[in-house]
Amino acid sequence: GDSVTQMEGPVTLSEEAFLTINCTYTATGYPSLFWYVQYPGEGLQLLLKATKADDKGSNKGFEATYRKETTSFHLEKGSVQVSDSAVYFCALSDPQGGSEKLVFGKGTKLTVNP
Amino acid sequence: NAGVTQTPKFRILKIGQSMTLQCAQDMNHNYMYWYRQDPGMGLKLIYYSVGAGITDKGEVPNGYNVSRSTTEDFPLRLELAAPSQTSVYFCASSYSKAGSKLFFGSGTQLSVL
């Protein structure tokens, strides 16, 4: 079945450091890919998405490129801030593969120190 | 603009007790979902609904029941609470299929002791 694998956390960075959170996926069809973010004490929010190969999703300085050849959707940010401290979830939906629901990775906790 | 509202925010149950987690959305979304989030395990889908009167099981439905009598409301029922149901529960909604954006509530933290 469909699955998402994220890098293990937690990740701790200093402010203004470069961030990469790796995400790879397995899917039967041609999935859409997502990054959701969960700030402390809150529900998840959509951060960015990409619906086809080579698409780049971007929002709030974060970027991720849909790489079909490597089945990856790594999240990057050039300069993190303390306010980026949160848990980040990679997810996919694969309607053509029979799954209309979102499949989530386990999440990666990011802590940014001043 | 309320979005997805979940109640209660926190609850402690004794083994064998029952309760209903409430979820309401005011965006006229057809699709609604219940997830549970266990530490380090990501989110697991419990039940979902594609419209009023239609519900279906997700990955981990055992021990739970749902109903969808209106577009707005999607309550989750725990009949005989067990310690394994200690978790954070999230309700979510979307306008159409999961390829569209999901809107999440702020969660219910449930402990079964």
Side-chain angles (χ1 to χ4, degrees):
Chain A
D2 297 343
S3 66
V4 174
T5 302
Q6 287 182 239
M7 65 183 288
E8 294 284 333
V11 174
T12 303
L13 296 173
S14 298
E15 209 165 21
E16 298 184 4
F18 184 85
L19 168 71
T20 299
I21 301 178
N22 290 337
C23 172
T24 57
Y25 67 89
T26 302
T28 306
Y30 301 93
S32 295
L33 301 173
F34 307 81
W35 278 100
Y36 278 80
V37 58
Q38 183 182 29
Y39 298 105
E42 299 183 10
L44 281 71
Q45 305 172 27
L46 179 64
L47 180 60
L48 54 84
K49 65 183 280 189
T51 57
K52 62 183 187 296
D54 299 324
D55 269 2
K56 178 185 284 187
S58 61
N59 187 24
K60 300 182 181 179
F62 291 89
E63 293 183 341
T65 300
Y66 188 145
R67 300 287 188 200
K68 188 171 184 290
E69 64 274 15
T70 55
T71 62
S72 65
F73 193 55
H74 304 322
L75 182 68
E76 297 182 336
K77 186 174 185 181
S79 177
V80 294
Q81 305 300 312
V82 172
S83 57
D84 294 327
S85 297
V87 181
Y88 292 82
F89 292 90
C90 186
L92 70 81
S93 69
D94 185 16
Q96 293 167 314
S99 173
E100 294 191 1
K101 289 84 67 180
L102 273 182
V103 175
F104 286 89
K106 293 184 178 182
T108 303
K109 183 176 182 179
L110 170 66
T111 301
V112 180
N113 295 318
Chain B
N1 204 4
V4 179
T5 303
Q6 287 184 240
T7 56
K9 290 192 180 299
F10 304 94
R11 184 73 185 268
I12 299 175
L13 286 181
K14 294 182 179 179
I15 295 172
Q17 285 186 319
S18 301
M19 78 163 294
T20 299
L21 281 65
Q22 301 292 344
C23 176
Q25 53 91 9
D26 62 358
M27 297 172 283
N28 202 33
H29 285 169
N30 289 321
Y31 287 64
M32 296 188 74
Y33 311 83
W34 274 105
Y35 288 90
R36 58 177 288 172
Q37 183 182 31
D38 299 318
M41 296 302 293
L43 280 78
K44 298 293 185 183
L45 182 65
I46 305 171
Y47 271 95
Y48 68 102
S49 169
V50 302
I54 306 169
T55 62
D56 208 347
K57 296 178 180 179
E59 299 172 81
V60 290
N62 291 344
Y64 307 95
N65 279 299
V66 294
S67 59
R68 184 94 182 271
S69 56
T70 66
T71 299
E72 294 78 19
D73 299 300
F74 191 42
L76 177 72
R77 178 83 177 161
L78 283 71
E79 289 293 349
L80 292 170
S84 61
Q85 294 177 304
T86 294
S87 188
V88 180
Y89 292 84
F90 287 100
C91 179
S93 71
S94 65
Y95 178 69
S96 62
K97 295 180 181 180
S100 62
K101 178 180 177 180
L102 258 64
F103 293 80
F104 281 81
S106 57
T108 296
Q109 188 168 326
L110 175 67
S111 296
V112 182
L113 306 175

